[in-house]
Amino acid sequence: MSLYESLKQTADNKDVQAYLDLLHDEYVFVRNQTNTEVNKQDWTPVVTAMMQSDALEVLSTRCLYENSEILVMHQVMKFPDATKEAVLIVHNLKDGKIIRSETGATPLQ
């Protein structure tokens, strides 16, 4: 199974632990709004709340490109405040796991 398929499966099943298992121990998430970095330990409660919430919806997701070094995804997401965004996600990979994620988002009407 590709990493993209594994990520999609964890999201579909809202399986937080399976998602966290796909992250490298040195994982870093880069917040697109502030360009600040969040390590795996600090990212865990954030992503747990997001995955367990029924208020956050992924309306569509697709893989744009994947190889052993990078996974590029596109999602359309609906947030609890009823806003929607198109989100481009770049995951850098190391040892078969995600070591760094960076997003860019565009508000949708």
Side-chain angles (χ1 to χ4, degrees):
M1 180 180 312
S2 73
L3 187 58
Y4 168 75
E5 291 168 341
S6 296
L7 274 174
K8 186 168 179 342
Q9 187 175 51
T10 65
D12 291 346
N13 297 334
K14 295 190 174 200
D15 188 342
V16 176
Q17 190 56 54
Y19 169 80
L20 293 171
D21 290 344
L22 297 175
L23 303 182
H24 195 279
D25 289 341
E26 298 169 16
Y27 176 78
V28 172
F29 177 81
V30 180
R31 294 183 183 275
N32 69 311
Q33 301 93 338
T34 61
N35 203 35
T36 56
E37 296 185 354
V38 180
N39 65 25
K40 184 175 180 178
Q41 180 180 352
D42 293 338
W43 178 241
T44 297
V46 174
V47 76
T48 299
M50 287 172 45
M51 289 181 77
Q52 292 176 343
S53 172
D54 290 330
L56 179 67
E57 295 179 65
V58 177
L59 303 175
S60 68
T61 187
R62 61 192 171 115
C63 176
L64 300 178
Y65 184 79
E66 179 177 9
N67 67 21
S68 63
E69 296 177 357
I70 194 166
L71 168 59
V72 182
M73 298 171 52
H74 184 270
Q75 294 181 321
V76 176
M77 303 179 77
K78 184 177 179 185
F79 295 92
D81 63 0
T83 60
K84 286 196 289 187
E85 292 182 355
V87 182
L88 184 65
I89 308 159
V90 176
H91 298 292
N92 297 99
L93 312 179
K94 181 179 178 182
D95 303 327
K97 294 190 174 201
I98 301 168
I99 192 160
R100 180 181 176 91
S101 300
E102 191 162 349
T103 61
T106 302
L108 300 174
Q109 299 295 334

